[in-house]
Amino acid sequence: DGEELWNHEIDGGVVGSPLVLGNTVYVGALDRNIYALDTATGEQKWKFSGDNWFWASPVSDGTTIYAATLGGAVYAIDFTGREVWSSPTNVSGPVLASPLILSDTLIVATDAKQVHQLSLIDGREEWAISVGEKVRAGMASQGERVYIIDNDGVVHALDAERRSELWTFDTDQ
């Protein structure tokens, strides 16, 4: 009937999409927090504080939530709101695009024209590559391939397993 079920006010704005797993919705906000809210009641289960704004949407492999900030910190958080890695991994710059889970790694693209591949286990950087411009658009994958579009409109195809760039295509030509 369109009636509001619940409403939970967040101090900062929300830019990214929420992540829903089971009976919990996870929301990253511009007040430097990730909120875990009950889907039925909107009641806050927990709040996790980061180093900067959570602009990109959080992602999950079903056991851990991965979230990155505009400060360049990447966090691994369990479903109780505790950090999984001993400390966040710092990447080359602000993260505006949602990370991408690929096999046992996390792909993170930054506003510093870099793409990083991190271990899901401990956050250790396994590989990084420079791309031509900032990356703010969402990424896609097929098998071990990752497809990225940078701010200049160049499509990059990366092979995460071989840790190489396969090809690029400039959409402006």
Side-chain angles (χ1 to χ4, degrees):
D1 65 0
E3 184 179 334
E4 183 177 281
L5 297 176
W6 54 263
N7 185 330
H8 184 92
E9 282 201 33
I10 294 174
D11 290 334
V14 176
V15 179
S17 299
L19 171 67
V20 180
L21 297 169
N23 62 353
T24 306
V25 59
Y26 302 93
V27 179
L30 301 185
D31 66 355
R32 300 177 179 230
N33 293 303
I34 293 179
Y35 296 86
L37 308 174
D38 185 276
T39 56
T41 66
E43 181 180 326
Q44 182 175 308
K45 295 180 176 185
W46 52 261
K47 177 172 73 172
F48 176 87
S49 296
D51 74 312
N52 206 313
W53 292 356
F54 286 98
W55 189 282
S57 301
V59 296
S60 178
D61 62 2
T63 60
T64 304
I65 299 163
Y66 302 93
T69 70
L70 288 185
V74 182
Y75 297 91
I77 309 160
D78 70 16
F79 293 145
T80 67
R82 293 190 188 111
E83 282 191 73
V84 174
W85 299 337
S86 58
S87 62
T89 297
N90 291 310
V91 293
S92 59
V95 179
L96 284 90
S98 295
L100 178 70
I101 296 172
L102 189 66
S103 300
D104 58 351
T105 62
L106 186 69
I107 307 297
V108 181
T110 73
D111 239 25
K113 307 176 186 180
Q114 296 278 316
V115 177
H116 302 266
Q117 184 175 355
L118 309 177
S119 166
L120 291 181
I121 297 168
D122 57 10
R124 178 182 40 85
E125 183 173 273
E126 296 180 344
W127 179 60
I129 187 171
S130 294
V131 291
E133 189 48 66
K134 299 172 181 180
V135 179
R136 295 181 175 169
M139 299 175 278
S141 66
Q142 179 184 39
E144 292 299 313
R145 284 191 181 184
V146 177
Y147 300 96
I148 296 167
I149 301 173
D150 69 28
N151 275 13
D152 279 345
V154 176
V155 180
H156 301 263
L158 308 177
D159 186 321
E161 188 173 49
R162 292 192 175 100
R163 298 180 178 155
S164 62
E165 186 168 59
L166 299 172
W167 52 261
T168 61
F169 177 77
D170 189 345
T171 60
D172 287 338
Q173 293 185 345

